[in-house]
Amino acid sequence: MLFNASLVNAQTNCTLYKDKAHQLACQYYTEAIQYGQGSKKSQQLFIQSLEACATFAPTLHEMSVPYLKRGDFYTWKVLMDEAVKADAIGYLGDRGWCYFKHMDDYENCYADLYRLYKLTGGHPGYTGDGDYDLRILMAISQREMGNYKLAMRFFNECIADHRKNNTLGLFDYLHRGATLLRMKKYTAALVDFKLEMVKNQKLADVHYYMGLTYLAMHNKGEAYNSFKQARELYIKTGYRHTDPYCEEPDQVYLADINNALGKLKHPGAQ
């Protein structure tokens, strides 16, 4: 039987499950999540939950998270694989996201997310932190594997849906623009970066990538201005694409900006 995580997270009444094994597993799970993540007490309760029902997917998933954060990817994967086996729709997205975020495993990330994409009729949902539509991760994964055509297919599909529903993601245009830049489609990349600026005007990363694009177009004056703006925003506001656990896709560092500025003599340099 399949039990989606949203069912457990939304409910307070474990008797909604039809059999006693899942009811008991749910009760232990509900108690366990009241304690600190990764604490001895919570993990003991998760073990009791699995003793009641070895295929209770929410417990398998939640129990795996502390191992992931500690870098014990083997134990995380053993538990997550069982969670996916018990509830594919509920946990394929999370496993795929973790492959992407913590391991740069683009092949397995794409395999999981594409399977979920097919199971959900092309709407696989969002990452656990809400930052990304999973189709954007599919696109970036294909890009990192060198498949630009397929990457653009998912970028374009996802962004078109977001525009239609007025639900644009925080970094949709940034990542598509960075991909177009790699493809040497500079005019199109510049359009995307300008669209990203409408949503994230103070994001240092987008100014940096605009600088790279102008530089590739032999417009050193605009490139210098963009790099300078990126540096000011990076230092003064600290508003940049970052994450406390891992390097983010297309993340920019101050050293990158300083290096780019160092290669240009002055704003009007040609």
Side-chain angles (χ1 to χ4, degrees):
M1 300 178 70
L2 300 183
F3 296 93
N4 194 291
S6 60
L7 174 62
V8 177
N9 292 337
Q11 76 178 40
T12 55
N13 185 4
C14 291
T15 60
L16 291 175
Y17 289 106
K18 294 181 179 180
D19 63 278
K20 290 184 178 179
H22 282 88
Q23 289 175 10
L24 185 57
C26 174
Q27 289 168 8
Y28 282 124
Y29 168 89
T30 303
E31 185 178 354
I33 60 176
Q34 305 306 311
Y35 294 91
Q37 191 178 71
S39 66
K40 181 178 180 180
K41 183 63 175 178
S42 69
Q43 294 296 87
Q44 287 175 334
L45 288 163
F46 285 141
I47 290 171
Q48 290 179 276
S49 176
L50 293 179
E51 287 173 347
C53 178
T55 59
F56 193 67
T59 292
L60 289 162
H61 166 260
E62 195 65 28
M63 193 175 181
S64 77
V65 175
Y67 294 105
L68 178 73
K69 292 183 176 180
R70 293 168 186 156
D72 183 351
F73 298 136
Y74 175 82
T75 305
W76 165 80
K77 182 169 166 42
V78 168
L79 292 164
M80 274 301 301
D81 286 353
E82 290 301 313
V84 169
K85 188 185 299 184
D87 183 358
I89 291 178
Y91 296 103
L92 273 170
D94 193 83
R95 188 174 69 180
W97 176 43
C98 290
Y99 280 139
F100 182 98
K101 186 177 182 69
H102 293 273
M103 300 168 216
D104 295 337
D105 185 345
Y106 303 114
E107 184 175 356
N108 278 317
C109 168
Y110 180 78
D112 273 359
L113 300 188
Y114 184 70
R115 181 181 166 196
L116 182 60
Y117 177 87
K118 299 296 286 186
L119 287 171
T120 57
H123 295 280
Y126 286 79
T127 56
D129 58 8
D131 280 354
Y132 289 104
D133 185 307
L134 291 172
R135 289 173 291 181
I136 296 294
L137 295 196
M138 292 170 68
I140 298 173
S141 292
Q142 284 299 322
R143 181 190 76 185
E144 294 304 309
M145 291 190 287
N147 302 322
Y148 292 108
K149 184 176 180 180
L150 191 53
M152 290 306 297
R153 171 196 156 186
F154 288 113
F155 275 128
N156 294 340
E157 176 191 310
C158 185
I159 290 174
D161 278 355
H162 286 179
R163 290 183 66 178
K164 181 175 63 178
N165 299 315
N166 196 28
T167 56
L168 279 167
L170 286 172
F171 309 109
D172 290 1
Y173 287 123
L174 173 68
H175 296 309
R176 189 173 70 175
T179 304
L180 289 165
L181 177 58
R182 291 195 192 186
M183 297 168 70
K184 299 183 179 181
K185 295 186 176 183
Y186 304 127
T187 301
L190 204 56
V191 169
D192 268 2
F193 294 139
K194 288 179 179 179
L195 288 168
E196 181 69 33
M197 283 184 65
V198 173
K199 194 171 186 69
N200 279 321
Q201 187 174 4
K202 295 183 179 180
L203 181 65
D205 308 64
V206 70
H207 289 276
Y208 171 77
Y209 280 107
M210 285 185 72
L212 291 182
T213 307
Y214 280 125
L215 198 58
M217 298 171 77
H218 308 292
N219 189 337
K220 293 184 178 180
E222 288 296 336
Y224 181 92
N225 291 336
S226 293
F227 291 141
K228 185 178 179 182
Q229 183 69 9
R231 189 175 190 278
E232 289 177 358
L233 289 169
Y234 197 104
I235 294 173
K236 291 181 180 180
T237 69
Y239 188 29
R240 57 191 186 271
H241 190 26
T242 187
D243 181 88
Y245 289 108
C246 308
E247 182 175 74
E248 289 289 88
D250 300 319
Q251 183 172 337
V252 174
Y253 295 91
L254 185 58
D256 299 321
I257 301 169
N258 287 336
N259 183 56
L261 276 170
K263 293 179 180 179
L264 295 174
K265 294 180 181 179
H266 55 80
Q270 297 297 324

